[in-house]
Amino acid sequence: MPNKTKKEKEMAKCVKSGMKNSNSGGGGGKEAAAENSDESQQQQSGSKRPSNSTPPPTQLNKIKYSGGPQLVKKERRQSSSRFSLTKNRELQKLPALKDSPPVEREDLFVQKLHQCCVLFDFVSDPLSDLKYKEVKRAGLNEMVEYITHSSDVVTEIIYPEAVFMFSVNLFRTLPPSSNPTGAEFDPEEDEPTLEAAWPHLQLVYEFFLRFLESPDFQPNVAKKHIDQKFVMSLLELFDSEDPRERDFLKTVLHRIYGKFLGLRAYIRRQINNIFYRFIYETEHHNGIAELLEILGSIINGFALPLKEEHKMFLIRVLLPLHKVKSLSVYHPQLAYCVVQFLEKDSSLTEPVIIGLLKFWPKTHSPKEVMFLNELEEILDVIEPSEFVKVQEPLFRQLAKCVSSPHFQVAERALYYWNNEYIMSLISDNAAKILPIMFPALYKNSKSHWNKTIHGLIYNALKLFMEMNQKLFDDCTQQYKAEKQKEKYKLKEREQVWHKIEDLARQNPQSNRLHPLRPGLHPQEEYMYSDSTVAVYSMETETPTAEDIQLLKKTVESEASQGLKDLKKDKVLMRRKSELPQDVYTIKALEAHKRAEEYLTANQEAL
């Protein structure tokens, strides 16, 4: 399906931002007004599309099932995390907080927090201690409600108790992410191992999130307990296979980043270290998409001009993340971060595009389509002055993509000609771009195996013709001359080889040797007589004057027909493996409710 035009994108963006602004209140008014003023300026200039103000949320369930049999699979790995169980797990139900006198509530609240530090076995014996597990679950539920709807409950004595309860329940060593046969967990193909203790873990996360968001919460008091060690332990949990846990972690870390200014540089540095280890050592980490989603909102709030530290993060971390084989798991969030940087500082466009071309995939077509998607997003926000700097290497790569035998790669590259803003950039620089693109377009208009590609190529050629008829004719003549030159060169090469063969035959010992020809099997030698040069006729077919006239007529008719056929064609996607479905995993992931759908920007302190 072709990409939306610039106007459609702007309209969709305006609708989204309008809905967001109407739902936000209080302190969001100024930000909304600023966003609207920025959008109006961009629409008036007609140069670039406005970008999304929030990073794309990470998918909870990355596997798309196609109606296969639903099976309950046996555990492949070491199941979920194993906790150090508390020896005395017999909990007594305490009085309800709302029914107790106000004077006693603080002490009762602390008692309930102590009770919730008791850990139970959900793995080896899930049916044990059911009565006491329910006491803990009910206590957590009650505290979530209490801290959400009551005021003046987060007193100074509560801070260490709440942080300790969170730490005891959640900070643990994660199980290895490989099955007994040693195969690595593939986030694209394998179902994740869900945490067996999730009924309690979920409520602990919800309580801590409400604790951080409470109007009574004071970062100056909490910073004694929520320190660098706490943040490091929190970041280690991002490698959990359970996407529900990573979703909560994402929101919790985002809140901590927003409230604790002193921890911001440390958080960014530790996230960088996770990325470095992922890129250059392990190439395995389950939480890269969530960490990039957090960074997307952080980049959104960077003050201008950008610090050198932030520019280095773009060049040394975000660009190398494109070369990892599991790119598809986190690519939407990565592309969003890159585009945010370019909107902040357009001078970074050239190193970013050159970096993308450096890491451009050679043999992985689905990954190549992702690169083309990201490149179009970048071109949507590029400044014309920056476009001029990268147009030649950029369109040399696009010419290769148009010539790709994989039709989805060629199709995605040709969709660029449906983007109004990109077409305006091409039109302004047609003298440089058309000579680069014309050979690939002309050759594939005849030789590509896919009919849809023919229609898109004719559409691109038609647009080039309408831009500059004289330039189009010049490129056609130049292409013809180059092909003629190639033909003569190959003919000369054949003649030289014939001379060498004649000289070789004059040698008295030549009769003892089998005659050889470069590039041919000895049995194929005699297929070619002295007067035959058919070996090159297929590859260097030269367009005649009649071909050129026919091309122009064909372009007019085929361009419109090709676009009609394109609308009828069903878009094909890479088919995933047919995997047995674990019905419990599917239901658990579908039932999960996000703490926050979109992460908002935190303004970076100067």
Side-chain angles (χ1 to χ4, degrees):
M1 186 175 188
N3 271 16
K4 294 180 181 178
T5 63
K6 180 166 151 286
K7 290 180 182 176
E8 289 172 334
K9 286 180 180 176
E10 287 175 354
M11 290 174 66
K13 169 65 181 155
C14 290
V15 171
K16 283 182 185 176
S17 62
M19 291 171 65
K20 185 181 173 187
N21 293 340
S22 64
N23 291 335
S24 64
K30 291 179 183 176
E31 291 176 10
E35 278 184 20
N36 288 337
S37 64
D38 288 345
E39 281 181 21
S40 62
Q41 285 174 8
Q42 288 170 338
Q43 287 172 352
Q44 286 169 10
S45 65
S47 61
K48 300 183 293 183
R49 70 155 177 81
S51 69
N52 295 326
S53 58
T54 53
T58 310
Q59 284 181 293
L60 286 175
N61 192 359
K62 296 184 175 73
I63 307 171
K64 302 297 180 188
Y65 300 103
S66 56
Q70 290 191 344
L71 304 172
V72 180
K73 294 202 300 181
K74 293 181 180 179
E75 289 297 337
R76 296 169 290 118
R77 293 180 290 281
Q78 293 286 327
S79 184
S80 62
S81 305
R82 295 178 181 271
F83 295 86
S84 299
L85 304 184
T86 309
K87 289 182 180 178
N88 181 15
R89 298 190 294 276
E90 295 183 5
L91 300 182
Q92 301 299 322
K93 189 174 180 181
L94 296 172
L97 284 163
K98 61 180 180 181
D99 298 334
S100 62
V103 182
E104 299 174 7
R105 282 181 188 170
E106 185 179 75
D107 291 338
L108 184 58
F109 193 13
V110 171
Q111 288 177 40
K112 285 181 180 283
L113 285 169
H114 286 166
Q115 269 197 345
C116 291
C117 293
V118 175
L119 301 180
F120 294 94
D121 183 5
F122 283 87
V123 180
S124 57
D125 188 7
L127 297 179
S128 64
D129 301 319
L130 287 178
K131 177 183 175 183
Y132 307 122
K133 286 177 182 175
E134 178 56 27
V135 171
K136 179 176 176 179
R137 192 198 66 80
L140 284 166
N141 250 330
E142 184 190 4
M143 287 195 297
V144 169
E145 289 295 314
Y146 179 65
I147 203 168
T148 305
H149 298 113
S150 305
S151 58
D152 300 326
V153 295
V154 182
T155 55
E156 194 161 344
I157 197 173
I158 298 298
Y159 287 93
E161 302 294 344
V163 172
F164 180 74
M165 187 272 286
F166 182 82
S167 304
V168 167
N169 279 275
L170 294 167
F171 295 161
R172 77 269 184 198
T173 303
L174 296 172
S177 60
S178 59
N179 60 27
T181 61
E184 279 292 323
F185 168 70
D186 182 351
E188 285 190 87
E189 298 281 357
D190 296 341
E191 287 175 340
T193 298
L194 301 184
E195 286 291 348
W198 188 246
H200 286 179
L201 295 184
Q202 178 184 7
L203 291 170
V204 173
Y205 274 116
E206 284 189 12
F207 170 78
F208 196 71
L209 203 53
R210 299 290 178 269
F211 170 68
L212 291 172
E213 292 173 340
S214 170
D216 309 328
F217 184 82
Q218 296 177 30
N220 287 334
V221 179
K223 69 182 181 183
K224 300 172 191 173
H225 314 288
I226 299 177
D227 52 10
Q228 291 185 358
K229 184 182 176 183
F230 181 90
V231 167
M232 195 66 214
S233 301
L234 200 67
L235 284 168
E236 286 172 2
L237 294 178
F238 272 87
D239 202 18
S240 167
E241 273 190 37
D242 195 328
R244 303 169 300 178
E245 178 164 26
R246 298 198 305 270
D247 191 56
F248 268 113
L249 282 166
K250 173 186 72 182
T251 312
V252 168
L253 186 63
H254 185 256
R255 293 291 181 276
I256 291 173
Y257 186 91
K259 290 181 180 291
F260 296 87
L261 301 184
L263 289 173
R264 288 185 174 187
Y266 179 80
I267 291 171
R268 291 198 303 270
R269 191 162 60 251
Q270 293 307 320
I271 291 177
N272 282 6
N273 291 339
I274 290 172
F275 287 150
Y276 283 135
R277 196 158 53 248
F278 172 68
I279 296 166
Y280 298 110
E281 294 180 16
T282 65
E283 284 205 354
H284 177 271
H285 193 283
N286 293 311
I288 298 298
E290 286 80 8
L291 290 171
L292 284 169
E293 193 178 337
I294 295 168
L295 283 169
S297 68
I298 290 173
I299 295 164
N300 222 330
F302 278 167
L304 294 176
L306 290 176
K307 296 176 184 176
E308 198 61 28
E309 168 206 343
H310 303 327
K311 294 179 183 178
M312 286 300 101
F313 167 71
L314 170 66
I315 304 301
R316 294 180 182 174
V317 179
L318 292 187
L319 289 182
L321 275 171
H322 287 84
K323 70 178 183 177
V324 182
K325 61 185 177 182
S326 57
L327 173 67
S328 61
V329 176
Y330 56 82
H331 184 256
Q333 292 76 25
L334 177 59
Y336 176 85
C337 290
V338 171
V339 172
Q340 284 298 307
F341 264 110
L342 299 187
E343 290 201 313
K344 293 276 182 185
D345 186 350
S346 61
S347 68
L348 295 168
T349 307
E350 185 179 8
V352 164
I353 291 182
I354 297 301
L356 278 180
L357 296 178
K358 175 186 172 184
F359 295 119
W360 200 275
K362 299 290 189 294
T363 59
H364 195 288
S365 298
K367 196 171 175 182
E368 204 166 353
V369 172
M370 284 185 270
F371 271 60
L372 287 165
N373 287 334
E374 181 174 354
L375 193 57
E376 184 172 12
E377 288 184 42
I378 291 170
L379 291 176
D380 271 335
V381 300
I382 197 171
E383 296 287 349
S385 59
E386 295 295 324
F387 177 78
V388 173
K389 297 176 186 176
V390 296
Q391 60 185 356
E392 292 188 31
L394 175 61
F395 278 88
R396 276 197 290 271
Q397 182 61 56
L398 284 179
K400 291 178 188 175
C401 293
V402 167
S403 303
S404 172
H406 194 293
F407 86 96
Q408 286 182 331
V409 174
E411 182 182 55
R412 187 64 190 84
L414 288 163
Y415 280 156
Y416 281 29
W417 274 260
N418 292 339
N419 185 308
E420 287 182 14
Y421 181 55
I422 294 176
M423 283 311 298
S424 70
L425 294 170
I426 293 174
S427 179
D428 293 340
N429 301 276
K432 289 279 187 185
I433 293 169
L434 184 52
I436 296 171
M437 292 300 304
F438 186 85
L441 291 171
Y442 181 86
K443 182 181 176 184
N444 287 283
S445 69
K446 293 189 169 188
S447 62
H448 203 284
W449 64 270
N450 188 280
K451 186 182 175 184
T452 305
I453 301 304
H454 289 182
L456 288 167
I457 286 175
Y458 283 124
N459 178 54
L461 286 169
K462 178 173 180 285
L463 290 168
F464 274 130
M465 273 177 57
E466 291 169 352
M467 274 179 205
N468 191 330
Q469 179 71 54
K470 184 178 181 304
L471 180 63
F472 188 86
D473 291 341
D474 290 344
C475 287
T476 311
Q477 294 298 335
Q478 185 184 348
Y479 180 71
K480 179 182 177 182
E482 286 175 2
K483 284 294 174 187
Q484 196 71 38
K485 197 185 293 182
E486 283 179 26
K487 185 175 180 180
Y488 288 138
K489 200 172 180 180
L490 204 53
K491 205 168 189 176
E492 285 175 8
R493 187 180 171 200
E494 286 289 325
Q495 290 170 353
V496 171
W497 277 113
H498 283 308
K499 286 179 183 177
I500 293 171
E501 286 172 1
D502 291 340
L503 289 170
R505 287 191 188 101
Q506 293 173 14
N507 189 320
Q509 296 183 352
S510 63
N511 293 332
R512 298 180 188 178
L513 301 173
H514 192 91
L516 294 174
R517 202 128 177 230
L520 294 178
H521 191 274
Q523 293 178 352
E524 296 175 318
E525 159 66 24
Y526 297 107
M527 291 172 62
Y528 296 93
S529 65
D530 289 350
S531 59
T532 305
V533 288
V535 70
Y536 59 79
S537 61
M538 204 67 159
E539 289 299 321
T540 59
E541 183 182 354
T542 305
T544 63
E546 291 78 14
D547 285 339
I548 293 166
Q549 292 302 320
L550 183 62
L551 171 65
K552 291 182 180 179
K553 289 179 183 177
T554 311
V555 163
E556 295 290 344
S557 57
E558 293 288 339
S560 54
Q561 184 61 39
L563 290 175
K564 288 178 185 176
D565 294 341
L566 184 64
K567 291 176 183 176
K568 295 176 187 175
D569 287 349
K570 185 179 179 182
V571 178
L572 299 176
M573 297 301 290
R574 180 167 72 100
R575 186 174 178 180
K576 293 282 188 182
S577 308
E578 289 292 336
L579 298 170
Q581 301 177 25
D582 182 349
V583 63
Y584 297 124
T585 302
I586 299 167
K587 286 181 178 177
L589 294 177
E590 288 175 349
H592 175 70
K593 293 182 180 178
R594 291 182 183 274
E596 182 179 52
E597 191 65 28
Y598 296 103
L599 297 184
T600 54
N602 289 311
Q603 290 303 314
E604 190 67 21
L606 290 172

